[in-house]
């Protein structure tokens, strides 16, 4: 996964309708400069005792025990690109926010990132929100607001 994110266009992870990875090759620096032995050693050291899991988002959120930390970066609501075989619309964002609330009630620490939209702010109104300016390099290059929602201070 790190290899694909590092070599894909602007670090984007996208799937086609059949579920296959279909991000075009990017123009990042050579992998030998990105994935040095020192970088791998630091990644290994920082991930000691950490479980990084891949799976259905809903199942992962529901299975998270009290004290766990979950980072969620869902597809953007008004994005014209489709990142999978199904569109991630307002209905999906609503169920995700409901699951996040249940996880927080169980004592799970949660961070969710999303573009700064009123309807998304409303979904996560019970979480702490910090707005940051980020650069978008897919589509028109511009700086936009992004919300970082946290269940903790």
């Amino acid at each position: 996964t790190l290899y694909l994110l590092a070599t894909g266009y602007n670090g984007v992870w996208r799937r086609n309708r059949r579920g296959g990875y279909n991000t075009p090759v990017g123009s990042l620096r050579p992998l030998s400069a990105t994935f040095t032995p020192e970088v791998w050693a630091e990644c290994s050291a920082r991930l000691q005792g950490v479980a990084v899991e891949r799976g259905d988002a809903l199942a992962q959120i529901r299975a998270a025990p009290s004290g766990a930390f979950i980072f969620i970066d869902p597809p953007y609501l008004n994005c014209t690109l489709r990142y999978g075989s199904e569109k991630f619309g307002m209905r999906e964002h609503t169920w995700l926010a409901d699951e996040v609330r249940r996880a927080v009630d169980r004592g799970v620490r949660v961070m969710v990132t999303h573009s700064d939209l009123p309807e998304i702010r409303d979904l996560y109104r019970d979480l702490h929100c910090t707005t940051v300016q980020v650069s978008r390099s897919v589509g028109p290059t511009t700086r936009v607001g992004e919300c970082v929602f946290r269940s903790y201070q």
Side-chain angles (χ1 to χ4, degrees):
T1 300
L2 288 175
Y3 175 84
L4 293 175
L5 287 172
T7 59
Y9 180 73
N10 289 324
V12 171
W13 180 280
R14 187 178 64 200
R15 292 183 178 273
N16 60 25
R17 291 182 183 178
R18 293 183 307 257
Y21 177 78
N22 75 342
T23 304
V25 174
S27 58
L28 298 176
R29 59 188 170 166
L31 285 181
S32 59
T34 303
F35 292 111
T36 63
E38 293 80 17
V39 167
W40 286 116
E42 183 170 343
C43 286
S44 175
R46 288 180 182 240
L47 291 173
Q48 293 300 308
V50 172
V52 177
E53 299 185 24
R54 176 183 175 269
D56 176 75
L58 181 58
Q60 295 293 324
I61 294 169
R62 286 181 176 168
S66 178
F69 171 77
I70 298 176
F71 171 72
I72 303 168
D73 185 30
Y76 292 129
L77 178 61
N78 289 336
C79 185
T80 57
L81 297 174
R82 292 174 69 136
Y83 286 91
S85 59
E86 300 296 324
K87 185 177 178 189
F88 205 88
M90 193 61 190
R91 181 180 63 178
E92 289 77 16
H93 277 284
T94 300
W95 71 250
L96 177 61
D98 290 343
E99 289 300 327
V100 164
R101 264 190 228 67
R102 288 193 223 12
V104 170
D105 288 346
R106 286 194 319 273
V108 176
R109 293 170 31 128
V110 179
M111 178 185 288
V112 180
T113 57
H114 198 285
S115 56
D116 190 358
L117 298 172
E119 50 271 65
I120 297 299
R121 279 182 174 264
D122 187 52
L123 287 176
Y124 295 103
R125 64 187 168 276
D126 298 331
L127 301 182
H128 304 284
C129 177
T130 302
T131 304
V132 296
Q133 292 294 307
V134 297
S135 296
R136 293 280 183 257
S137 52
V138 176
T141 303
T142 184
R143 291 190 60 78
V144 297
E146 178 145 321
C147 290
V148 179
F149 300 100
R150 298 174 329 283
S151 63
Y152 53 92
Q153 287 287 359

